[in-house]
Amino acid sequence: MKVLITGFEPFGGEDVNPSWAAARLVAATPPAGLDVTAVRLSCVYGRATEELRAAVSATDPALVVCAGQAGGRSGLSVERVAVNVDDARLPDNAGNQPVDEPIVPDGPVAYLSRLPVKACVAAARAAGVPAHVSGTAGNFLCNHVFYGLAHLIATERPALRGGFVHVPYAPEQVTDRFEPSMSVADIARGLGAIVAAAASTTDDLRVPEGATH
C-alpha cells in the first residue's frame, strides 16, 4: 500500500518542527508492507494545500496521514474533525494572518476524519506512546491542511483515506520554558503505529474516547 505522510516546516521562530522530523523517520523505516513517502509542507496558507494536492497527485497513495506541531499537548492527538475556518493567532511564514475566513468558500462547515481515529490511538498507546482523540485541530495551518485534505477526498478522491495527527514539541524546543515535549524518535514510533493501524483497519473501535472540552 502506498502511503503519504506529511509534516510542516518550522514556524513561529522555531528551528525545528517535530512533525517533519518524525515524518521523515517513518518514511525511512516504514511499517511492514507499506511504501511510505514523506513530504514537507510550507507553513503558508494556500501554498500548503497546493503542495499537499501535488504530493497526492505525484504519489497516488491509498492513505494520507498529515502531521503538525501542537505546542502544549503532551501526547499524539489524532484529530476527529476539520472545520472550514482560518483564524490565525499569529502570521504564517509569508506574513499572512487570515481572520474568520473560510478555507473553501461555500464548502461544508466541517469534515470528519477518514482515519479510524480510535484504532489509531489504541495502536499508538500499544507502541508505548501517549495518544488521545482530539475534537479540535485549531484554526491555524494544521486545520487548514486537514480540511484541504478532507475536501480533496470528498470532491475528487473518494477512495482515498486520510486524516491529521498533532504532535508535541520536541525536547530542544522547551529547554527554556515549562511545556510538555516528546522525543522525535518516540513521535515517529507513535506515527508509525498510527499509519500501520490506519492501513489495516477500516472499521473503527467502538470505545469511549470523548473529552469534556
Side-chain angles (χ1 to χ4, degrees), residues 13 19 24 33 55 60 65 70 85 90 112 136 139 144 163 188 193-194 197 208 210:
S19 68
R24 291 178 64 189
D60 192 26
V65 176
V85 62
L90 70 166
L112 292 177
T136 174
N139 298 115
H144 182 86
I194 286 169

Side-chain angles (χ1 to χ4, degrees), residues 26-155:
V26 174
T29 55
L34 301 182
D35 178 8
V36 181
T37 300
V39 171
R40 189 177 82 161
L41 303 180
S42 301
C43 276
V44 178
Y45 286 101
R47 186 186 304 168
T49 49
E50 292 171 1
E51 292 168 346
L52 175 63
R53 173 183 287 271
V56 169
S57 178
T59 59
D60 192 26
L63 174 68
V64 179
V65 176
C66 297
Q69 170 190 301
R73 300 196 188 188
S74 58
L76 303 188
S77 301
V78 183
E79 299 296 344
R80 191 197 297 265
V81 59
V83 296
N84 190 16
V85 62
D86 288 331
D87 189 10
R89 180 179 58 83
L90 70 166
D92 68 12
N93 284 354
N96 306 303
Q97 193 171 5
V99 175
D100 297 340
E101 294 184 9
I103 298 167
V104 177
D106 300 321
V109 170
Y111 286 110
L112 292 177
S113 175
R114 289 289 301 275
L115 299 180
V117 293
K118 294 180 179 181
C120 289
V121 165
R125 290 172 179 167
V129 178
H132 68 279
V133 175
S134 170
T136 174
N139 298 115
F140 196 50
L141 266 298
C142 293
N143 177 75
H144 182 86
V145 163
F146 183 15
Y147 188 92
L149 171 62
H151 191 70
L152 176 64
I153 292 171
T155 58

